[in-house]
PDB file of all heavy atoms in Angstrom:
ATOM      1  N   VAL A  13      79.798  82.103 -12.918  1.00 98.00           N
ATOM      2  CA  VAL A  13      78.877  81.218 -13.619  1.00 98.00           C
ATOM      3  C   VAL A  13      79.090  79.829 -13.037  1.00 98.00           C
ATOM      4  O   VAL A  13      80.190  79.277 -13.113  1.00 98.00           O
ATOM      5  CB  VAL A  13      79.147  81.220 -15.140  1.00 98.00           C
ATOM      6  CG1 VAL A  13      78.240  80.216 -15.840  1.00 98.00           C
ATOM      7  CG2 VAL A  13      78.984  82.615 -15.715  1.00 98.00           C
ATOM      8  N   ASN A  15      79.196  75.974 -12.581  1.00 96.00           N
ATOM      9  CA  ASN A  15      79.333  74.726 -13.344  1.00 96.00           C
ATOM     10  C   ASN A  15      79.073  74.888 -14.838  1.00 96.00           C
ATOM     11  O   ASN A  15      78.453  74.027 -15.464  1.00 96.00           O
ATOM     12  CB  ASN A  15      78.445  73.625 -12.754  1.00 96.00           C
ATOM     13  CG  ASN A  15      79.089  72.968 -11.557  1.00 96.00           C
ATOM     14  OD1 ASN A  15      80.316  72.966 -11.403  1.00 96.00           O
ATOM     15  ND2 ASN A  15      78.278  72.416 -10.680  1.00 96.00           N
ATOM     16  N   LEU A  16      79.501  76.010 -15.377  1.00 96.00           N
ATOM     17  CA  LEU A  16      79.410  76.296 -16.810  1.00 96.00           C
ATOM     18  C   LEU A  16      77.978  76.362 -17.343  1.00 96.00           C
ATOM     19  O   LEU A  16      77.769  76.393 -18.551  1.00 96.00           O
ATOM     20  CB  LEU A  16      80.198  75.268 -17.637  1.00 96.00           C
ATOM     21  CG  LEU A  16      81.711  75.231 -17.406  1.00 96.00           C
ATOM     22  CD1 LEU A  16      82.337  74.082 -18.187  1.00 96.00           C
ATOM     23  CD2 LEU A  16      82.351  76.546 -17.809  1.00 96.00           C
ATOM     24  N   ASN A  17      76.984  76.420 -16.457  1.00 95.00           N
ATOM     25  CA  ASN A  17      75.588  76.447 -16.902  1.00 95.00           C
ATOM     26  C   ASN A  17      75.316  77.671 -17.774  1.00 95.00           C
ATOM     27  O   ASN A  17      75.457  78.797 -17.312  1.00 95.00           O
ATOM     28  CB  ASN A  17      74.631  76.437 -15.706  1.00 95.00           C
ATOM     29  CG  ASN A  17      74.644  75.116 -14.988  1.00 95.00           C
ATOM     30  OD1 ASN A  17      74.817  74.077 -15.593  1.00 95.00           O
ATOM     31  ND2 ASN A  17      74.461  75.162 -13.674  1.00 95.00           N
ATOM     32  N   ASP A  18      74.961  77.423 -19.027  1.00 97.00           N
ATOM     33  CA  ASP A  18      74.653  78.488 -19.994  1.00 97.00           C
ATOM     34  C   ASP A  18      75.693  79.616 -19.893  1.00 97.00           C
ATOM     35  O   ASP A  18      75.349  80.794 -19.835  1.00 97.00           O
ATOM     36  CB  ASP A  18      73.235  79.005 -19.743  1.00 97.00           C
ATOM     37  CG  ASP A  18      72.740  79.904 -20.869  1.00 97.00           C
ATOM     38  OD1 ASP A  18      73.284  79.849 -21.995  1.00 97.00           O
ATOM     39  OD2 ASP A  18      71.806  80.692 -20.609  1.00 97.00           O
ATOM     40  N   TRP A  19      76.949  79.236 -19.881  1.00 97.00           N
ATOM     41  CA  TRP A  19      78.011  80.182 -19.569  1.00 97.00           C
ATOM     42  C   TRP A  19      78.104  81.352 -20.550  1.00 97.00           C
ATOM     43  O   TRP A  19      78.448  82.462 -20.152  1.00 97.00           O
ATOM     44  CB  TRP A  19      79.361  79.481 -19.423  1.00 97.00           C
ATOM     45  CG  TRP A  19      79.939  78.913 -20.683  1.00 97.00           C
ATOM     46  CD1 TRP A  19      79.816  77.633 -21.132  1.00 97.00           C
ATOM     47  CD2 TRP A  19      80.738  79.601 -21.643  1.00 97.00           C
ATOM     48  NE1 TRP A  19      80.482  77.478 -22.322  1.00 97.00           N
ATOM     49  CE2 TRP A  19      81.060  78.679 -22.661  1.00 97.00           C
ATOM     50  CE3 TRP A  19      81.209  80.908 -21.756  1.00 97.00           C
ATOM     51  CZ2 TRP A  19      81.833  79.016 -23.769  1.00 97.00           C
ATOM     52  CZ3 TRP A  19      81.982  81.248 -22.853  1.00 97.00           C
ATOM     53  CH2 TRP A  19      82.285  80.310 -23.844  1.00 97.00           C
ATOM     54  N   ARG A  20      77.800  81.141 -21.813  1.00 97.00           N
ATOM     55  CA  ARG A  20      77.898  82.252 -22.776  1.00 97.00           C
ATOM     56  C   ARG A  20      76.928  83.376 -22.400  1.00 97.00           C
ATOM     57  O   ARG A  20      77.305  84.553 -22.363  1.00 97.00           O
ATOM     58  CB  ARG A  20      77.643  81.756 -24.189  1.00 97.00           C
ATOM     59  CG  ARG A  20      78.785  80.970 -24.772  1.00 97.00           C
ATOM     60  CD  ARG A  20      78.443  80.400 -26.161  1.00 97.00           C
ATOM     61  NE  ARG A  20      79.520  79.589 -26.686  1.00 97.00           N
ATOM     62  CZ  ARG A  20      79.693  78.299 -26.405  1.00 97.00           C
ATOM     63  NH1 ARG A  20      78.853  77.665 -25.606  1.00 97.00           N
ATOM     64  NH2 ARG A  20      80.712  77.633 -26.915  1.00 97.00           N
ATOM     65  N   THR A  21      75.691  83.007 -22.148  1.00 97.00           N
ATOM     66  CA  THR A  21      74.677  84.005 -21.778  1.00 97.00           C
ATOM     67  C   THR A  21      75.011  84.649 -20.442  1.00 97.00           C
ATOM     68  O   THR A  21      74.989  85.882 -20.309  1.00 97.00           O
ATOM     69  CB  THR A  21      73.286  83.343 -21.693  1.00 97.00           C
ATOM     70  OG1 THR A  21      72.995  82.728 -22.946  1.00 97.00           O
ATOM     71  CG2 THR A  21      72.210  84.357 -21.334  1.00 97.00           C
ATOM     72  N   GLN A  22      75.313  83.819 -19.453  1.00 97.00           N
ATOM     73  CA  GLN A  22      75.553  84.346 -18.109  1.00 97.00           C
ATOM     74  C   GLN A  22      76.820  85.186 -18.029  1.00 97.00           C
ATOM     75  O   GLN A  22      76.838  86.221 -17.356  1.00 97.00           O
ATOM     76  CB  GLN A  22      75.607  83.199 -17.102  1.00 97.00           C
ATOM     77  CG  GLN A  22      74.256  82.554 -16.902  1.00 97.00           C
ATOM     78  CD  GLN A  22      74.266  81.636 -15.703  1.00 97.00           C
ATOM     79  OE1 GLN A  22      74.730  82.012 -14.637  1.00 97.00           O
ATOM     80  NE2 GLN A  22      73.744  80.433 -15.884  1.00 97.00           N
ATOM     81  N   LEU A  23      77.869  84.754 -18.694  1.00 97.00           N
ATOM     82  CA  LEU A  23      79.117  85.520 -18.655  1.00 97.00           C
ATOM     83  C   LEU A  23      78.925  86.881 -19.324  1.00 97.00           C
ATOM     84  O   LEU A  23      79.429  87.895 -18.828  1.00 97.00           O
ATOM     85  CB  LEU A  23      80.251  84.724 -19.321  1.00 97.00           C
ATOM     86  CG  LEU A  23      81.674  85.122 -18.989  1.00 97.00           C
ATOM     87  CD1 LEU A  23      81.929  85.191 -17.485  1.00 97.00           C
ATOM     88  CD2 LEU A  23      82.663  84.160 -19.640  1.00 97.00           C
ATOM     89  N   ALA A  24      78.174  86.909 -20.424  1.00 97.00           N
ATOM     90  CA  ALA A  24      77.886  88.194 -21.085  1.00 97.00           C
ATOM     91  C   ALA A  24      77.123  89.123 -20.144  1.00 97.00           C
ATOM     92  O   ALA A  24      77.425  90.322 -20.049  1.00 97.00           O
ATOM     93  CB  ALA A  24      77.091  87.955 -22.369  1.00 97.00           C
ATOM     94  N   ARG A  27      79.331  90.370 -17.320  1.00 97.00           N
ATOM     95  CA  ARG A  27      80.276  91.377 -17.858  1.00 97.00           C
ATOM     96  C   ARG A  27      79.613  92.756 -17.910  1.00 97.00           C
ATOM     97  O   ARG A  27      80.245  93.765 -17.601  1.00 97.00           O
ATOM     98  CB  ARG A  27      80.724  90.984 -19.262  1.00 97.00           C
ATOM     99  CG  ARG A  27      81.857  90.045 -19.307  1.00 97.00           C
ATOM    100  CD  ARG A  27      82.414  89.968 -20.744  1.00 97.00           C
ATOM    101  NE  ARG A  27      82.953  88.679 -21.041  1.00 97.00           N
ATOM    102  CZ  ARG A  27      83.978  88.127 -20.428  1.00 97.00           C
ATOM    103  NH1 ARG A  27      84.579  88.763 -19.455  1.00 97.00           N
ATOM    104  NH2 ARG A  27      84.417  86.946 -20.768  1.00 97.00           N
ATOM    105  N   ILE A  38      84.612  88.661 -11.910  1.00 98.00           N
ATOM    106  CA  ILE A  38      83.759  87.651 -12.518  1.00 98.00           C
ATOM    107  C   ILE A  38      84.554  86.382 -12.777  1.00 98.00           C
ATOM    108  O   ILE A  38      85.777  86.416 -12.899  1.00 98.00           O
ATOM    109  CB  ILE A  38      83.109  88.155 -13.828  1.00 98.00           C
ATOM    110  CG1 ILE A  38      84.177  88.507 -14.871  1.00 98.00           C
ATOM    111  CG2 ILE A  38      82.208  89.348 -13.549  1.00 98.00           C
ATOM    112  CD1 ILE A  38      83.618  88.873 -16.229  1.00 98.00           C
ATOM    113  N   GLY A  39      83.821  85.270 -12.859  1.00 98.00           N
ATOM    114  CA  GLY A  39      84.505  84.011 -13.108  1.00 98.00           C
ATOM    115  C   GLY A  39      83.541  82.890 -13.443  1.00 98.00           C
ATOM    116  O   GLY A  39      82.346  83.105 -13.638  1.00 98.00           O
ATOM    117  N   ILE A  40      84.095  81.696 -13.499  1.00 98.00           N
ATOM    118  CA  ILE A  40      83.332  80.484 -13.779  1.00 98.00           C
ATOM    119  C   ILE A  40      83.745  79.410 -12.784  1.00 98.00           C
ATOM    120  O   ILE A  40      84.819  79.487 -12.190  1.00 98.00           O
ATOM    121  CB  ILE A  40      83.540  79.965 -15.219  1.00 98.00           C
ATOM    122  CG1 ILE A  40      85.019  79.658 -15.476  1.00 98.00           C
ATOM    123  CG2 ILE A  40      82.988  80.932 -16.242  1.00 98.00           C
ATOM    124  CD1 ILE A  40      85.289  78.906 -16.765  1.00 98.00           C
ATOM    125  N   THR A  41      82.876  78.404 -12.629  1.00 98.00           N
ATOM    126  CA  THR A  41      83.173  77.320 -11.706  1.00 98.00           C
ATOM    127  C   THR A  41      82.916  75.970 -12.357  1.00 98.00           C
ATOM    128  O   THR A  41      82.170  75.868 -13.328  1.00 98.00           O
ATOM    129  CB  THR A  41      82.287  77.384 -10.434  1.00 98.00           C
ATOM    130  OG1 THR A  41      80.979  76.869 -10.724  1.00 98.00           O
ATOM    131  CG2 THR A  41      82.185  78.787  -9.884  1.00 98.00           C
ATOM    132  N   THR A  42      83.557  74.957 -11.795  1.00 97.00           N
ATOM    133  CA  THR A  42      83.217  73.569 -12.080  1.00 97.00           C
ATOM    134  C   THR A  42      83.577  72.729 -10.873  1.00 97.00           C
ATOM    135  O   THR A  42      84.455  73.093 -10.095  1.00 97.00           O
ATOM    136  CB  THR A  42      83.919  73.011 -13.333  1.00 97.00           C
ATOM    137  OG1 THR A  42      83.387  71.707 -13.612  1.00 97.00           O
ATOM    138  CG2 THR A  42      85.424  72.900 -13.154  1.00 97.00           C
ATOM    139  N   GLN A  47      83.828  68.118 -17.012  1.00 97.00           N
ATOM    140  CA  GLN A  47      83.692  69.460 -17.581  1.00 97.00           C
ATOM    141  C   GLN A  47      85.032  70.115 -17.875  1.00 97.00           C
ATOM    142  O   GLN A  47      85.072  71.188 -18.476  1.00 97.00           O
ATOM    143  CB  GLN A  47      82.906  70.371 -16.629  1.00 97.00           C
ATOM    144  CG  GLN A  47      81.444  70.043 -16.518  1.00 97.00           C
ATOM    145  CD  GLN A  47      80.709  71.040 -15.633  1.00 97.00           C
ATOM    146  OE1 GLN A  47      81.261  71.575 -14.665  1.00 97.00           O
ATOM    147  NE2 GLN A  47      79.461  71.303 -15.967  1.00 97.00           N
ATOM    148  N   TYR A  48      86.127  69.497 -17.481  1.00 98.00           N
ATOM    149  CA  TYR A  48      87.436  70.141 -17.627  1.00 98.00           C
ATOM    150  C   TYR A  48      87.783  70.550 -19.053  1.00 98.00           C
ATOM    151  O   TYR A  48      88.325  71.646 -19.253  1.00 98.00           O
ATOM    152  CB  TYR A  48      88.546  69.267 -17.048  1.00 98.00           C
ATOM    153  CG  TYR A  48      88.622  69.250 -15.534  1.00 98.00           C
ATOM    154  CD1 TYR A  48      87.715  69.937 -14.729  1.00 98.00           C
ATOM    155  CD2 TYR A  48      89.610  68.527 -14.903  1.00 98.00           C
ATOM    156  CE1 TYR A  48      87.801  69.904 -13.357  1.00 98.00           C
ATOM    157  CE2 TYR A  48      89.698  68.493 -13.520  1.00 98.00           C
ATOM    158  CZ  TYR A  48      88.797  69.172 -12.754  1.00 98.00           C
ATOM    159  OH  TYR A  48      88.886  69.143 -11.389  1.00 98.00           O
ATOM    160  N   PRO A  49      87.526  69.728 -20.078  1.00 97.00           N
ATOM    161  CA  PRO A  49      87.867  70.180 -21.436  1.00 97.00           C
ATOM    162  C   PRO A  49      87.161  71.487 -21.820  1.00 97.00           C
ATOM    163  O   PRO A  49      87.797  72.412 -22.324  1.00 97.00           O
ATOM    164  CB  PRO A  49      87.436  69.010 -22.316  1.00 97.00           C
ATOM    165  CG  PRO A  49      87.548  67.809 -21.422  1.00 97.00           C
ATOM    166  CD  PRO A  49      87.100  68.321 -20.068  1.00 97.00           C
ATOM    167  N   GLU A  50      85.860  71.582 -21.569  1.00 98.00           N
ATOM    168  CA  GLU A  50      85.138  72.816 -21.888  1.00 98.00           C
ATOM    169  C   GLU A  50      85.592  73.950 -20.972  1.00 98.00           C
ATOM    170  O   GLU A  50      85.756  75.094 -21.417  1.00 98.00           O
ATOM    171  CB  GLU A  50      83.631  72.609 -21.762  1.00 98.00           C
ATOM    172  CG  GLU A  50      82.836  73.842 -22.146  1.00 98.00           C
ATOM    173  CD  GLU A  50      81.331  73.663 -22.052  1.00 98.00           C
ATOM    174  OE1 GLU A  50      80.866  72.632 -21.511  1.00 98.00           O
ATOM    175  OE2 GLU A  50      80.621  74.575 -22.514  1.00 98.00           O
ATOM    176  N   PHE A  51      85.816  73.651 -19.707  1.00 98.00           N
ATOM    177  CA  PHE A  51      86.274  74.644 -18.742  1.00 98.00           C
ATOM    178  C   PHE A  51      87.593  75.262 -19.210  1.00 98.00           C
ATOM    179  O   PHE A  51      87.761  76.486 -19.193  1.00 98.00           O
ATOM    180  CB  PHE A  51      86.439  73.964 -17.375  1.00 98.00           C
ATOM    181  CG  PHE A  51      86.556  74.890 -16.213  1.00 98.00           C
ATOM    182  CD1 PHE A  51      85.456  75.570 -15.725  1.00 98.00           C
ATOM    183  CD2 PHE A  51      87.767  75.048 -15.545  1.00 98.00           C
ATOM    184  CE1 PHE A  51      85.549  76.402 -14.614  1.00 98.00           C
ATOM    185  CE2 PHE A  51      87.873  75.876 -14.442  1.00 98.00           C
ATOM    186  CZ  PHE A  51      86.758  76.555 -13.975  1.00 98.00           C
ATOM    187  N   GLU A  52      88.499  74.404 -19.648  1.00 98.00           N
ATOM    188  CA  GLU A  52      89.797  74.876 -20.148  1.00 98.00           C
ATOM    189  C   GLU A  52      89.614  75.759 -21.382  1.00 98.00           C
ATOM    190  O   GLU A  52      90.283  76.797 -21.509  1.00 98.00           O
ATOM    191  CB  GLU A  52      90.679  73.673 -20.474  1.00 98.00           C
ATOM    192  CG  GLU A  52      92.070  74.048 -20.919  1.00 98.00           C
ATOM    193  CD  GLU A  52      92.920  72.849 -21.301  1.00 98.00           C
ATOM    194  OE1 GLU A  52      92.519  71.700 -21.037  1.00 98.00           O
ATOM    195  OE2 GLU A  52      93.990  73.089 -21.882  1.00 98.00           O
ATOM    196  N   GLN A  53      88.719  75.385 -22.280  1.00 98.00           N
ATOM    197  CA  GLN A  53      88.462  76.207 -23.469  1.00 98.00           C
ATOM    198  C   GLN A  53      87.956  77.596 -23.078  1.00 98.00           C
ATOM    199  O   GLN A  53      88.394  78.604 -23.644  1.00 98.00           O
ATOM    200  CB  GLN A  53      87.444  75.525 -24.383  1.00 98.00           C
ATOM    201  CG  GLN A  53      87.977  74.319 -25.092  1.00 98.00           C
ATOM    202  CD  GLN A  53      86.895  73.603 -25.900  1.00 98.00           C
ATOM    203  OE1 GLN A  53      85.703  73.834 -25.736  1.00 98.00           O
ATOM    204  NE2 GLN A  53      87.336  72.709 -26.778  1.00 98.00           N
ATOM    205  N   VAL A  54      87.035  77.642 -22.116  1.00 98.00           N
ATOM    206  CA  VAL A  54      86.512  78.927 -21.659  1.00 98.00           C
ATOM    207  C   VAL A  54      87.634  79.747 -21.025  1.00 98.00           C
ATOM    208  O   VAL A  54      87.762  80.949 -21.283  1.00 98.00           O
ATOM    209  CB  VAL A  54      85.336  78.737 -20.669  1.00 98.00           C
ATOM    210  CG1 VAL A  54      84.867  80.079 -20.118  1.00 98.00           C
ATOM    211  CG2 VAL A  54      84.179  77.999 -21.344  1.00 98.00           C
ATOM    212  N   MET A  55      88.469  79.101 -20.225  1.00 98.00           N
ATOM    213  CA  MET A  55      89.583  79.797 -19.588  1.00 98.00           C
ATOM    214  C   MET A  55      90.537  80.398 -20.621  1.00 98.00           C
ATOM    215  O   MET A  55      91.079  81.478 -20.416  1.00 98.00           O
ATOM    216  CB  MET A  55      90.371  78.840 -18.678  1.00 98.00           C
ATOM    217  CG  MET A  55      89.659  78.443 -17.408  1.00 98.00           C
ATOM    218  SD  MET A  55      90.594  77.203 -16.462  1.00 98.00           S
ATOM    219  CE  MET A  55      92.064  78.138 -16.003  1.00 98.00           C
ATOM    220  N   ARG A  56      90.749  79.694 -21.709  1.00 98.00           N
ATOM    221  CA  ARG A  56      91.645  80.196 -22.759  1.00 98.00           C
ATOM    222  C   ARG A  56      91.017  81.345 -23.555  1.00 98.00           C
ATOM    223  O   ARG A  56      91.707  82.261 -23.981  1.00 98.00           O
ATOM    224  CB  ARG A  56      92.035  79.068 -23.708  1.00 98.00           C
ATOM    225  CG  ARG A  56      92.975  78.056 -23.107  1.00 98.00           C
ATOM    226  CD  ARG A  56      93.473  77.047 -24.137  1.00 98.00           C
ATOM    227  NE  ARG A  56      94.249  76.005 -23.511  1.00 98.00           N
ATOM    228  CZ  ARG A  56      95.491  76.153 -23.043  1.00 98.00           C
ATOM    229  NH1 ARG A  56      96.085  77.317 -23.140  1.00 98.00           N
ATOM    230  NH2 ARG A  56      96.120  75.146 -22.475  1.00 98.00           N
ATOM    231  N   ALA A  57      89.723  81.276 -23.744  1.00 98.00           N
ATOM    232  CA  ALA A  57      89.045  82.218 -24.643  1.00 98.00           C
ATOM    233  C   ALA A  57      88.509  83.468 -23.954  1.00 98.00           C
ATOM    234  O   ALA A  57      88.361  84.505 -24.611  1.00 98.00           O
ATOM    235  CB  ALA A  57      87.893  81.498 -25.349  1.00 98.00           C
ATOM    236  N   GLU A  58      88.202  83.373 -22.688  1.00 97.00           N
ATOM    237  CA  GLU A  58      87.503  84.463 -22.016  1.00 97.00           C
ATOM    238  C   GLU A  58      88.387  85.188 -21.014  1.00 97.00           C
ATOM    239  O   GLU A  58      89.214  84.583 -20.365  1.00 97.00           O
ATOM    240  CB  GLU A  58      86.253  83.926 -21.302  1.00 97.00           C
ATOM    241  CG  GLU A  58      85.258  83.258 -22.218  1.00 97.00           C
ATOM    242  CD  GLU A  58      84.575  84.213 -23.175  1.00 97.00           C
ATOM    243  OE1 GLU A  58      84.450  85.419 -22.840  1.00 97.00           O
ATOM    244  OE2 GLU A  58      84.168  83.766 -24.266  1.00 97.00           O
ATOM    245  N   ASP A  59      88.144  86.475 -20.897  1.00 95.00           N
ATOM    246  CA  ASP A  59      88.827  87.296 -19.914  1.00 95.00           C
ATOM    247  C   ASP A  59      88.006  87.268 -18.622  1.00 95.00           C
ATOM    248  O   ASP A  59      86.842  87.667 -18.633  1.00 95.00           O
ATOM    249  CB  ASP A  59      88.919  88.726 -20.440  1.00 95.00           C
ATOM    250  CG  ASP A  59      90.235  89.380 -20.125  1.00 95.00           C
ATOM    251  OD1 ASP A  59      91.139  88.677 -19.641  1.00 95.00           O
ATOM    252  OD2 ASP A  59      90.355  90.587 -20.355  1.00 95.00           O
ATOM    253  N   MET A  60      88.597  86.785 -17.564  1.00 97.00           N
ATOM    254  CA  MET A  60      87.913  86.682 -16.278  1.00 97.00           C
ATOM    255  C   MET A  60      88.892  87.041 -15.169  1.00 97.00           C
ATOM    256  O   MET A  60      90.075  87.211 -15.419  1.00 97.00           O
ATOM    257  CB  MET A  60      87.395  85.254 -16.063  1.00 97.00           C
ATOM    258  CG  MET A  60      86.374  84.801 -17.072  1.00 97.00           C
ATOM    259  SD  MET A  60      85.926  83.083 -16.847  1.00 97.00           S
ATOM    260  CE  MET A  60      87.433  82.240 -17.304  1.00 97.00           C
ATOM    261  N   ASP A  61      88.369  87.071 -13.977  1.00 98.00           N
ATOM    262  CA  ASP A  61      89.208  87.367 -12.818  1.00 98.00           C
ATOM    263  C   ASP A  61      89.491  86.134 -11.977  1.00 98.00           C
ATOM    264  O   ASP A  61      90.502  86.068 -11.284  1.00 98.00           O
ATOM    265  CB  ASP A  61      88.506  88.405 -11.924  1.00 98.00           C
ATOM    266  CG  ASP A  61      88.159  89.661 -12.694  1.00 98.00           C
ATOM    267  OD1 ASP A  61      89.087  90.311 -13.202  1.00 98.00           O
ATOM    268  OD2 ASP A  61      86.959  89.967 -12.802  1.00 98.00           O
ATOM    269  N   CYS A  62      88.578  85.161 -12.014  1.00 98.00           N
ATOM    270  CA  CYS A  62      88.630  84.069 -11.056  1.00 98.00           C
ATOM    271  C   CYS A  62      88.040  82.799 -11.658  1.00 98.00           C
ATOM    272  O   CYS A  62      87.132  82.856 -12.481  1.00 98.00           O
ATOM    273  CB  CYS A  62      87.804  84.476  -9.831  1.00 98.00           C
ATOM    274  SG  CYS A  62      87.814  83.294  -8.484  1.00 98.00           S
ATOM    275  N   ILE A  63      88.577  81.674 -11.223  1.00 98.00           N
ATOM    276  CA  ILE A  63      87.935  80.388 -11.492  1.00 98.00           C
ATOM    277  C   ILE A  63      87.743  79.688 -10.162  1.00 98.00           C
ATOM    278  O   ILE A  63      88.421  79.991  -9.180  1.00 98.00           O
ATOM    279  CB  ILE A  63      88.751  79.482 -12.450  1.00 98.00           C
ATOM    280  CG1 ILE A  63      90.077  79.056 -11.809  1.00 98.00           C
ATOM    281  CG2 ILE A  63      88.942  80.150 -13.804  1.00 98.00           C
ATOM    282  CD1 ILE A  63      90.673  77.796 -12.386  1.00 98.00           C
ATOM    283  N   ILE A  78      94.365  72.754 -15.604  1.00 98.00           N
ATOM    284  CA  ILE A  78      93.543  73.852 -15.091  1.00 98.00           C
ATOM    285  C   ILE A  78      94.359  74.812 -14.216  1.00 98.00           C
ATOM    286  O   ILE A  78      94.357  76.024 -14.452  1.00 98.00           O
ATOM    287  CB  ILE A  78      92.319  73.313 -14.311  1.00 98.00           C
ATOM    288  CG1 ILE A  78      91.467  72.388 -15.191  1.00 98.00           C
ATOM    289  CG2 ILE A  78      91.508  74.460 -13.712  1.00 98.00           C
ATOM    290  CD1 ILE A  78      90.842  73.023 -16.393  1.00 98.00           C
ATOM    291  N   LEU A  81      97.088  76.729 -16.185  1.00 98.00           N
ATOM    292  CA  LEU A  81      96.471  77.716 -17.079  1.00 98.00           C
ATOM    293  C   LEU A  81      95.961  78.917 -16.283  1.00 98.00           C
ATOM    294  O   LEU A  81      96.106  80.064 -16.722  1.00 98.00           O
ATOM    295  CB  LEU A  81      95.343  77.071 -17.887  1.00 98.00           C
ATOM    296  CG  LEU A  81      94.601  77.977 -18.860  1.00 98.00           C
ATOM    297  CD1 LEU A  81      95.551  78.618 -19.871  1.00 98.00           C
ATOM    298  CD2 LEU A  81      93.507  77.175 -19.591  1.00 98.00           C
ATOM    299  N   ALA A  82      95.382  78.668 -15.124  1.00 98.00           N
ATOM    300  CA  ALA A  82      94.923  79.774 -14.282  1.00 98.00           C
ATOM    301  C   ALA A  82      96.096  80.675 -13.894  1.00 98.00           C
ATOM    302  O   ALA A  82      95.990  81.904 -13.945  1.00 98.00           O
ATOM    303  CB  ALA A  82      94.225  79.245 -13.036  1.00 98.00           C
ATOM    304  N   ARG A  85      97.202  82.694 -16.946  1.00 98.00           N
ATOM    305  CA  ARG A  85      96.248  83.752 -17.313  1.00 98.00           C
ATOM    306  C   ARG A  85      96.057  84.788 -16.206  1.00 98.00           C
ATOM    307  O   ARG A  85      95.386  85.793 -16.404  1.00 98.00           O
ATOM    308  CB  ARG A  85      94.879  83.140 -17.658  1.00 98.00           C
ATOM    309  CG  ARG A  85      94.806  82.190 -18.834  1.00 98.00           C
ATOM    310  CD  ARG A  85      94.918  82.832 -20.213  1.00 98.00           C
ATOM    311  NE  ARG A  85      94.302  84.111 -20.400  1.00 98.00           N
ATOM    312  CZ  ARG A  85      93.070  84.336 -20.850  1.00 98.00           C
ATOM    313  NH1 ARG A  85      92.297  83.331 -21.166  1.00 98.00           N
ATOM    314  NH2 ARG A  85      92.612  85.565 -20.989  1.00 98.00           N
ATOM    315  N   PHE A  87      94.462  84.286 -13.298  1.00 98.00           N
ATOM    316  CA  PHE A  87      93.167  84.135 -12.640  1.00 98.00           C
ATOM    317  C   PHE A  87      93.373  83.733 -11.178  1.00 98.00           C
ATOM    318  O   PHE A  87      94.201  82.875 -10.882  1.00 98.00           O
ATOM    319  CB  PHE A  87      92.331  83.027 -13.291  1.00 98.00           C
ATOM    320  CG  PHE A  87      91.971  83.245 -14.736  1.00 98.00           C
ATOM    321  CD1 PHE A  87      91.705  82.158 -15.552  1.00 98.00           C
ATOM    322  CD2 PHE A  87      91.880  84.512 -15.294  1.00 98.00           C
ATOM    323  CE1 PHE A  87      91.357  82.322 -16.880  1.00 98.00           C
ATOM    324  CE2 PHE A  87      91.538  84.692 -16.626  1.00 98.00           C
ATOM    325  CZ  PHE A  87      91.271  83.598 -17.422  1.00 98.00           C
TER     326      PHE A  87
END
Side-chain angles (χ1 to χ4, degrees):
V13 176
N15 279 335
L16 297 175
N17 291 327
D18 192 20
W19 69 265
R20 286 176 183 85
T21 303
Q22 291 192 48
L23 200 52
R27 275 192 211 297
I38 61 174
I40 59 169
T41 79
T42 187
Q47 289 184 327
Y48 284 2
E50 183 179 10
F51 195 74
E52 183 183 349
Q53 289 175 345
V54 176
M55 288 175 65
R56 289 187 186 286
E58 301 292 333
D59 219 8
M60 298 175 292
D61 304 299
C62 183
I63 66 157
I78 303 297
L81 180 57
R85 298 287 323 267
F87 298 155

